[in-house]
Amino acid sequence: MNSRDDLSCDVAIIGAGTAGLAAERAARREGARTLLIDDGFAGTLCATTGCMPSKLLIAAASACAGLEQARLMGIDIPSARVDGQRVMERLRAERDRFAAGVRKGLADLPDGTCIDSRARFAAPGRLELRDGRQVAARVVVIATGSAPVVPKPYRDLGPRVLTNDTVFELTDLPRSMAVIGAGPLGAELAQAFARLGVRVALFDKGDRLAKIRCDKVHKTFRDLYARDVALHLGCAPQPSAREDGIRLAWQGRCEDFDCVLVATGRAPALEGLNLAASGLRLDEKGVPRFDRDTLQCGDSAVFIAGDADADAPVLHEASLEGAIAGRNAARYPDVTPVERPPLFTLTFTDPPVAAIGAAPDDCALNGFADYADQGRARVEARAGGILRLGADEQGRLTGADLAVPGGDHLAHLLVAAVMNGNTARDMLDMPFYHPTLEEGLKPALRQLCKAASLDLSTSRDSGNPPGA
C-alpha cells in the first residue's frame, strides 16, 4: 500500500457506538483531529439490539397486561388476540427509525472523519485497517462495545438459539421460549414475551433475578414476577436439539421449547484488535487495565470506554465514559480524573427494579416501605413491591434498592438525593403531592430519621392523608 494512502490523526476512536460517538465529539471539541473507525456504522447497540427494541417489546406487553387491569376496574373487554407478526413488525419499524437517526447524525461529522473498516493494532500508536492502510494516531480510544456470550452447550444448536442480537428478527411470536440467564435483560424479555402469550420458562444457575441486591426486595419481587414466568433458579439445564425445537433437561425433568433465548451476559468485543501489539497490560480476561476515573490504560496513550471495558454496561455510563476518554485523549498527556456518579441501574420489568449507590450491607442504616397497600398503587390496580433506602449514621441517603410501581421514576428522585447528600429529613421536608407513588417513600424515610435520631418535630411531614 502506498504510504500516501495512509492516514494520521490526533485521536483515533475504534467503534461508533454510544461511547465511541461521545469520545469523538469530546475530542473534536478540544480541537483534536479525529478519525472514527467502525465496521459498517450500523448504529449503536442501544438503538439496534438493546435499549430501544427491548422497550418496544415491553411496551406491547404492557399494553396487553393493561387490559387485565382495565377488567379489574369494571371495564368489560373481550379476550385479546395478540397478532405476533404485527407486534414484531412495529418493533422493527420503530427500531429502524432509531437506528437511522443515529446514522443520520454521522452525516454531520466533518468530511473524512468516518472510516468504514475494521482496525487492529500494528504497534503502539499505529493501527492497521482491513484494506492494509495504516493510521498513525497520537492517541487511541478503544470503544468496540460488547457481544453476547453463548455458553458452549448452546453454540451448535442452530438458529433456534437466540441472543438479543437476533431475537428481534423473529417474524412472529413463538409458542414457547426458554430464557437462559435471569439478569436484567433475561428478566425483562422473559416477562415481556410471557405477557404477550408465549409460554416462557426462565433458568439461571444463580438464585437472583435482575441482580437484585437486597434480600427483602428480591423475595417480594420474585413472588410478583412468578405470576408471569415459570422460574427455575439454581439450576443449569442441559440442551439438546429436536426436530421442531430444543429440549432442556434439568433436575430430573425435561421440557421442549420452540426456541431458547440465551441472555447470559455480554463480553467486551476485543477479539481481532491484536492487543498484543498495543503494548497494554491486560487483566485475566484479556481486557486492558485502566483507571475508571480517567479511562486511561496504564500510563499509555490508549483509553478505553463503554462496554469494551466491562465496568458499567449501561448507556448513561457508556456516554459519560466516552466523553471522559475523548477529552483526556485530546489533552493527553494532561489527563484529568472525573468523579463518577453513584451506581444507578434500572430493569424495566413490572414492577421496575432499580439499584442506586450503596448496597444494604454497606449502609449504616436501612429503612423499608411496602407498596402492597400503597394508596396510588391500589388506585391503579398495581399494588405490590417493596423498596429499601440506605443512609449513613447521620441519616444522609447513600443507597436504595426497589421493585415498586413507578420505580423507574422514583429511582431518578432517589439518585438525585444521594448525589446531593440529602438526609431522610430533607426528603420529608419536601412537599409530597397526594395521591402519588412518591408518598410511598415516607415510611422508609421516617424509619431512617428515627434510626439516625433526626428531629421531626419541626419538619413539614404531617403524616399520611387517607389513602397514602
Side-chain angles (χ1 to χ4, degrees):
M1 179 66 64
N2 191 307
S3 62
R4 288 178 299 179
D5 295 326
D6 289 346
L7 303 168
S8 65
C9 62
D10 296 321
V11 179
I13 301 100
I14 310 175
T18 297
L21 292 171
E24 193 283 328
R25 284 194 301 269
R28 184 158 39 87
R29 284 173 185 158
E30 294 291 328
R33 292 180 302 117
T34 62
L35 287 178
L36 182 62
I37 306 168
D38 189 84
D39 186 11
F41 289 95
T44 63
L45 167 68
C46 171
T48 56
T49 62
C51 313
M52 304 316 290
S54 65
K55 302 313 168 287
L56 283 159
L57 187 75
I58 291 167
S62 296
C64 192
L67 299 178
E68 186 59 33
Q69 283 181 290
R71 293 186 187 101
L72 289 174
M73 296 177 186
I75 301 171
D76 189 14
I77 300 174
S79 296
R81 186 186 73 83
V82 176
D83 187 332
Q85 291 186 358
R86 289 174 59 196
V87 168
M88 300 307 293
E89 285 171 1
R90 176 180 184 269
L91 183 156
R92 282 192 294 277
E94 291 296 320
R95 174 203 62 185
D96 292 347
R97 287 182 66 253
F98 290 120
V102 174
R103 292 192 296 272
K104 184 178 179 181
L106 296 171
D108 296 330
L109 298 180
D111 290 344
T113 299
C114 296
I115 306 296
D116 189 347
S117 179
R118 293 183 66 87
R120 64 197 300 269
F121 281 92
R126 184 166 289 273
L127 303 174
E128 183 178 43
L129 302 179
R130 181 168 45 204
D131 60 8
R133 286 182 297 171
Q134 296 211 347
V135 177
R138 189 173 64 85
V139 186
V140 174
V141 177
I142 300 171
T144 47
S146 61
V149 174
V150 179
K152 188 175 181 179
Y154 295 90
R155 291 176 190 167
D156 299 320
L157 299 181
R160 290 182 182 273
V161 173
L162 307 168
T163 68
N164 71 295
D165 283 356
T166 58
V167 68
F168 303 119
E169 300 306 318
L170 289 173
T171 57
D172 199 350
L173 296 173
R175 291 168 301 173
S176 60
M177 171 185 287
V179 179
I180 310 300
L185 178 64
E188 284 182 354
L189 295 184
Q191 186 183 55
F193 277 111
R195 288 186 161 193
L196 288 167
V198 179
R199 174 172 60 85
V200 178
L202 177 61
F203 297 82
D204 197 289
K205 62 182 179 181
D207 62 357
R208 290 278 158 157
L209 289 165
K211 297 184 178 179
I212 297 175
R213 304 177 298 181
C214 175
D215 291 342
K216 289 185 178 180
V217 173
H218 184 264
K219 182 181 183 303
T220 300
F221 176 76
R222 175 175 173 156
D223 291 344
L224 294 171
Y225 187 87
R227 298 174 182 175
D228 294 315
V229 178
L231 292 179
H232 304 287
L233 302 182
C235 68
Q238 294 301 308
S240 58
R242 311 293 290 177
E243 185 176 347
D244 56 352
I246 293 177
R247 173 167 294 177
L248 296 184
W250 75 98
Q251 298 175 345
R253 300 176 56 186
C254 68
E255 193 169 343
D256 293 345
F257 299 90
D258 288 343
C259 59
V260 172
L261 171 61
V262 176
T264 50
R266 297 178 66 89
L270 302 173
E271 187 177 354
L273 285 180
N274 193 27
L275 291 176
S278 69
L280 300 175
R281 292 179 59 232
L282 309 182
D283 65 17
E284 62 279 0
K285 295 183 179 180
V287 178
R289 297 185 183 277
F290 70 101
D291 182 329
R292 77 185 307 267
D293 294 328
T294 65
L295 283 306
Q296 185 180 17
C297 299
D299 58 359
S300 73
V302 178
F303 294 77
I304 190 167
D307 287 6
D309 64 30
D311 181 63
V314 292
L315 184 139
H316 69 272
E317 292 279 12
S319 183
L320 174 62
E321 287 189 359
I324 296 170
R327 186 164 56 248
N328 279 332
R331 295 175 178 178
Y332 177 82
D334 181 14
V335 174
T336 304
V338 174
E339 183 178 358
R340 300 286 292 270
L343 170 78
F344 180 24
T345 64
L346 280 172
T347 303
F348 291 88
T349 47
D350 183 16
V353 171
I356 298 161
D361 292 344
D362 297 325
C363 296
L365 309 173
N366 287 289
F368 294 85
D370 191 339
Y371 272 65
D373 198 34
Q374 202 273 334
R376 180 60 179 269
R378 289 194 63 83
V379 165
E380 297 180 355
R382 52 180 182 149
I386 192 171
L387 66 82
R388 173 200 71 91
L389 300 183
D392 62 17
E393 293 178 348
Q394 289 72 46
R396 285 188 293 267
L397 296 181
T398 56
D401 292 279
L402 53 147
V404 296
D408 47 340
H409 300 290
L410 288 171
H412 283 82
L413 173 66
L414 293 172
V415 76
V418 170
M419 293 179 71
N420 292 333
N422 296 143
T423 66
R425 190 188 189 283
D426 293 334
M427 295 290 287
L428 283 172
D429 273 343
M430 291 171 45
F432 283 82
Y433 211 89
H434 178 69
T436 60
L437 296 169
E438 284 76 5
E439 286 179 309
L441 296 171
K442 286 187 172 184
L445 293 168
R446 293 184 187 124
Q447 290 173 32
L448 292 177
C449 287
K450 182 177 180 180
S453 300
L454 297 178
D455 182 15
L456 292 179
S457 62
T458 59
S459 81
R460 296 189 181 91
D461 178 29
S462 58
N464 286 349

